[in-house]
């Protein structure tokens, strides 16, 4: 005899579907989706907000619409849509038969497009008070963002189907803060300093020939310290650019290979580390100086490359290892 899933008892299908809407602003507030699957179909000229975490989301046959989709535990699949804009965070991202789609994305795996064109990607930026918890509930990691690492199933040597959005693209040009009454209590911020996901440079051309690796080792405040460091670098050292971040678990032998010393072999066993690549003239010395400020009065350990020559190998070893772990 099959057991009934008590979590699904009392659920109404219509609460998890938006379809056949035109010229409307609508969506769901925190606590109303709560990890269920969601579907949007056949909408035109709508602003659609899903301020909650979900299991999976399918978007079909939408035109001239703007979407905010809260963290998605598995996949978002966008099909047969055109002239739409998305702010979305997920484990897996895929489009098929889409045209002229702009996406601010946080994706923990490699995003995939198929039979799609005019696709433009940028780094996810958004904040509301419940969002960090929604990321945790969905199991989406904010530091493992592959927004620029696109795989095109329909490659064409004569046509590029995707590109990057301008680095200075403004979030409010994508999707404004909703003014509808049902969202009036939402405390939303579009400020890059408030974003739950760090803004990264991605695969764009690096501004400088000098990069460095910064690693925060796991403790009770590792993530908070990493964000504080990012914000301090953004405020005090705008000449340094955050290229990429990764959160990954290292074994002692992995740490030995990345850092070329055994000093960190024990501490990596405490849990996943957060690594960052910074780029910019004199970024090695700049990050070393800023890291010293963070280590004062703190038991938390930070690694920073000691020279440009060492940094090049350490960045390559750390991110090659992280990519292999992500592929497992």
């Amino acid at each position: 005899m099959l057991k009934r899933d008590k979590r699904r008892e009392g659920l109404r299908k219509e609460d998890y579907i938006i379809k056949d809407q035109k010229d409307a602003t609508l969506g769901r507030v925190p606590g109303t989706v709560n990890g269920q699957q969601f579907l949007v179909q056949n909408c035109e000229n709508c602003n659609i907000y899903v301020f909650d975490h979900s299991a999976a989301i399918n978007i079909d046959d939408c035109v001239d619409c703007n979407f905010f989709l809260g963290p998605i535990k598995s996949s978002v699949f966008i099909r047969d849509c055109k002239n739409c804009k998305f702010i979305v965070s997920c484990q897996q991202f895929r489009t098929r038969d889409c045209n002229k789609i702009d996406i601010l994305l946080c994706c923990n795996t490699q995003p995939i497009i198929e039979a799609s064109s005019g696709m433009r990607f940028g780094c996810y930026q958004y904040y509301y008070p419940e969002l960090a918890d929604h990321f945790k509930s969905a199991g989406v990691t904010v530091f493992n963002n592959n927004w620029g690492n696109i795989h095109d199933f329909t490659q064409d040597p004569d046509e590029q189907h995707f590109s990057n959005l301008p680095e200075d693209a403004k979030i409010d040009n994508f999707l404004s803060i909703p003014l509808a009454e049902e969202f009036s209590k939402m405390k939303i911020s579009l400020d890059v300093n408030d974003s739950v996901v760090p803004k990264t440079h991605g695969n764009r051309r690096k501004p400088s020939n000098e990069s460095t690796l910064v690693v925060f080792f796991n403790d009770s405040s590792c993530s908070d310290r990493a964000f504080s460091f990012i914000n301090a670098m953004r405020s005090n050292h705008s000449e340094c650019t955050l290229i990429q971040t990764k959160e990954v678990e290292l074994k002692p032998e992995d740490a030995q290979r990345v850092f070329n010393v055994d000093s960190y072999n024990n501490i990596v066993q405490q849990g996943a580390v957060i690594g960052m690549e910074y780029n910019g003239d004199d970024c090695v010395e700049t990050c070393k100086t800023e890291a010293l400020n963070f280590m004062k009065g703190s038991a938390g350990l930070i690694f920073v490359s000691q020279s440009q020559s060492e940094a090049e190998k350490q960045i390559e070893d750390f991110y090659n290892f992280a990519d292999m772990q992500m592929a497992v």
Side-chain angles (χ1 to χ4, degrees):
M1 183 176 180
L2 293 176
K3 294 182 179 180
R4 289 189 297 176
D5 187 346
K6 293 184 178 180
R7 293 173 301 176
R8 297 187 63 85
E9 290 182 1
L11 298 181
R12 302 188 310 162
K13 182 179 179 180
E14 59 268 27
D15 290 338
Y16 306 96
I17 298 176
I18 295 174
K19 65 178 182 178
D20 303 326
Q21 298 293 317
K22 186 175 182 179
D23 303 326
T25 295
L26 64 165
R28 301 292 185 268
V29 296
T32 56
V33 178
N34 199 27
Q36 299 298 321
Q37 295 187 29
F38 203 85
L39 177 65
V40 182
Q41 291 180 325
N42 193 34
C43 293
E44 182 179 350
N45 195 36
C46 290
N47 292 323
I48 296 172
Y49 303 82
V50 180
F51 290 122
D52 209 346
H53 66 100
S54 60
I57 295 184
N58 285 353
I59 312 288
D60 296 312
D61 301 296
C62 292
V63 178
D64 297 325
C65 291
N66 302 317
F67 295 86
F68 174 86
L69 305 176
I72 301 162
K73 187 172 185 178
S74 58
S75 64
V76 57
F77 197 0
I78 305 168
R79 300 174 290 197
D80 298 292
C81 294
K82 63 180 181 180
N83 295 328
C84 293
K85 295 180 180 179
F86 288 84
I87 302 176
V88 57
S89 50
C90 55
Q91 285 286 351
Q92 300 172 331
F93 177 91
R94 186 169 181 178
T95 71
R96 190 176 68 201
D97 297 312
C98 291
N99 180 247
K100 293 185 179 179
I101 307 292
D102 289 348
I103 308 106
L104 293 181
L105 179 64
C106 176
C107 185
N108 285 175
T109 57
Q110 185 176 30
I112 294 172
I113 66 172
E114 181 179 2
S116 299
S117 61
M119 311 292 292
R120 300 196 302 171
F121 291 85
C123 184
Y124 180 104
Q125 297 289 277
Y126 215 81
Y127 171 86
Y128 57 85
E130 300 88 348
L131 185 54
D133 286 337
H134 290 168
F135 267 89
K136 292 178 182 177
S137 296
V140 178
T141 306
V142 301
F143 292 104
N144 290 339
N145 187 2
N146 295 285
W147 68 264
N149 183 25
I150 313 301
H151 177 69
D152 185 359
F153 261 135
T154 319
Q155 296 185 30
D156 183 345
D158 298 321
E159 183 178 359
Q160 180 73 15
H161 298 144
F162 65 93
S163 62
N164 291 332
L165 285 159
E167 192 167 7
D168 59 354
K170 303 298 182 184
I171 306 172
D172 49 9
N173 290 338
F174 275 74
L175 193 59
S176 60
I177 294 176
L179 300 178
E181 183 176 355
E182 63 183 302
F183 304 117
S184 60
K185 294 182 180 180
M186 296 287 302
K187 297 179 180 178
I188 298 167
S189 172
L190 306 183
D191 188 332
V192 64
N193 295 296
D194 296 329
S195 177
V196 170
V197 176
K199 185 177 181 181
T200 53
H201 192 71
N203 63 348
R204 298 183 177 99
R205 183 175 180 178
K206 296 178 183 180
S208 169
N209 291 324
E210 181 175 338
S211 286
T212 192
L213 178 67
V214 180
V215 177
F216 285 81
F217 295 92
N218 197 290
D219 60 18
S220 60
S221 61
C222 178
S223 180
D224 290 339
R225 291 190 299 119
F227 266 107
S228 295
F229 185 87
I230 290 169
N231 289 334
M233 289 292 292
R234 184 186 297 118
S235 298
N236 303 329
H237 309 287
S238 59
E239 72 281 6
C240 294
T241 301
L242 181 59
I243 302 297
Q244 56 181 333
T245 65
K246 277 291 186 295
E247 185 171 8
V248 66
E249 293 191 2
L250 296 174
K251 296 178 181 178
E253 57 268 29
D254 304 320
Q256 178 85 38
R257 184 166 55 253
V258 171
F259 305 117
N260 202 32
V261 293
D262 59 10
S263 308
Y264 307 101
N265 290 8
N266 289 329
I267 195 171
V268 296
Q269 298 181 72
Q270 296 181 7
V273 304
I274 297 171
M276 312 173 187
E277 178 188 355
Y278 272 94
N279 178 270
D281 295 343
D282 298 321
C283 69
V284 172
E285 291 303 318
T286 300
C287 287
K288 284 164 62 176
T289 300
E290 196 64 53
L292 285 174
N293 295 331
F294 275 75
M295 292 177 69
K296 292 176 181 177
S298 171
L301 189 61
I302 307 172
F303 169 87
V304 183
S305 300
Q306 294 301 297
S307 69
Q308 183 177 352
S309 58
E310 290 179 355
E312 291 177 1
K313 184 176 186 306
Q314 288 162 349
I315 290 168
E316 181 179 4
D317 289 344
F318 180 83
Y319 283 98
N320 282 344
F321 173 80
D323 289 341
M324 286 190 294
Q325 290 299 102
M326 296 282 291
V328 172

